Amino acid sequence: MTRALQLATFPLIMVASVWSAVAMLAHGLAPLVIILTVPPVAGAIIIVLEWVIPFRREWLHDHHDFRTDCVHIVLSAWAVESLPLVVNGVLVAGAAAVAGGLGRAPWPVEWPLGVQVVLALVASELFHYTIHRCLHRFGPLWKLHAVHHSSERLYWLNATRVHPLEGLFHIATGATALVIAGVPTTVLTIHTVFLAVARVFQHSNLDLRMGPLNWIFSTPNVHRFHHSTVRAEVEANYGTVLLVWDWVFGTRRATPDDGAPAQIGGPKLPTGWWGQVTSPFRRPSG
């Protein structure tokens, strides 16, 4: 049973999430309803499975971080990710302007739905990859990203431990570019669901056997090494969902299916949410 869960959990939940989104769209449900329904259900299943097939049992217990991470999910993730809804009119106007200038929307709306979703993932991944790599390479940006790397364990809630300004960078690039390019609402909805569920998986405390999927997706097996305390392991595997741009730019690093870095974590930061989000703007003590 354990072996079956290790092999099937990731592909089954990802496929079921996408299928559910497509089916709900076909039945006329609003995209917002789908986005607020499918990822939380998938996330709940992942949370339960962390107790069934945990990668490390010590990561199941509160490391004086759970309360802070709960604040992050509300103020650093949900609040920031809701901004595109607020400025949706501006983005749509931008899309109309681009389409008017080109004579049509640049997005290939006539292509099959599945191909459009894959294209949207690859395109948005380029923006996320670029931002992520810059966050590691430039000192002021690293101070923001250090909030994400400060966790000393990986579990389902880590995906939302981000500095709000870092979240804005991602929203202002990937999501905005897709909307302005004229990506249909149907494709955006499926893309958002896929991205949301994959991000929970990426940081989950699940003992999975991913095999060749480790070479395509930024699985938990791959992403654990990105949270290593070893610099060479941290500065690799920047992909958020796909590893396509890591392959292109030579930052993909092979990782064993059942391996893990000796230790994870980053700079020592305050344990509270306010202390973490203000830490990039404080002068070093001493």
Side-chain angles (χ1 to χ4, degrees):
M1 181 63 177
T2 297
R3 183 66 175 178
L5 286 174
Q6 290 174 326
L7 290 170
T9 291
F10 180 83
L12 279 181
I13 291 181
M14 293 305 303
V15 170
S17 297
V18 172
W19 179 87
S20 298
V22 172
M24 294 168 77
L25 285 166
H27 282 80
L29 272 73
L32 184 60
V33 173
I34 299 170
I35 293 168
L36 294 178
T37 302
V38 177
V41 170
I45 297 172
I46 292 171
I47 293 169
V48 171
L49 287 175
E50 283 193 336
W51 290 88
V52 179
I53 49 171
F55 183 75
R56 287 186 178 168
R57 291 202 168 273
E58 62 268 26
W59 288 354
L60 294 173
H61 305 290
D62 189 0
H63 284 44
H64 305 291
D65 54 1
F66 181 73
R67 181 181 298 179
T68 297
D69 287 339
C70 286
V71 179
H72 270 295
I73 196 173
V74 175
L75 299 182
S76 300
W78 291 347
V80 172
E81 290 175 5
S82 67
L83 288 176
L85 298 175
V86 178
V87 298
N88 186 61
V90 176
L91 296 180
V92 170
V98 171
L102 296 177
R104 54 153 289 173
W107 190 259
V109 294
E110 68 279 4
W111 289 8
L113 177 62
V115 177
Q116 289 189 59
V117 172
V118 172
L119 178 60
L121 286 169
V122 172
S124 65
E125 190 69 53
L126 176 59
F127 289 98
H128 294 311
Y129 174 92
T130 303
I131 291 295
H132 193 178
R133 196 166 178 182
C134 288
L135 288 165
H136 277 259
R137 294 298 179 90
F138 300 105
L141 295 181
W142 167 249
K143 290 181 180 180
L144 298 177
H145 193 52
V147 172
H148 181 64
H149 279 265
S150 65
S151 179
E152 296 179 353
R153 63 169 176 152
L154 292 177
Y155 70 120
W156 66 275
L157 201 48
N158 280 146
T160 57
R161 179 187 278 217
V162 292
H163 196 284
L165 291 180
E166 177 184 340
L168 285 176
F169 288 143
H170 288 290
I171 292 296
T173 53
T176 299
L178 291 181
V179 174
I180 293 179
V183 179
T185 301
T186 299
V187 176
L188 285 174
T189 303
I190 299 171
H191 168 273
T192 301
V193 167
F194 192 98
L195 182 64
V197 177
R199 286 179 64 198
V200 178
F201 260 118
Q202 185 187 52
H203 294 84
S204 65
N205 181 25
L206 290 174
D207 185 10
L208 302 179
R209 296 296 180 267
M210 305 296 294
L213 294 180
N214 284 328
W215 297 92
I216 303 171
F217 299 100
S218 183
T219 66
N221 304 38
V222 170
H223 198 66
R224 286 188 194 107
F225 285 86
H226 183 73
H227 281 262
S228 170
T229 55
V230 178
R231 185 180 181 89
E233 294 176 339
V234 172
E235 294 186 353
N237 301 327
Y238 292 106
T240 299
V241 176
L242 304 175
L243 296 175
V244 58
W245 298 110
D246 283 290
W247 281 105
V248 170
F249 294 110
T251 54
R252 173 68 176 89
R253 299 289 182 271
T255 54
D257 200 33
D258 58 351
Q263 185 178 357
I264 69 163
K268 296 294 183 182
L269 299 181
T271 57
W273 178 83
W274 180 251
Q276 290 179 3
V277 299
T278 58
S279 62
F281 313 108
R282 296 178 180 173
R283 293 183 178 180
S285 58

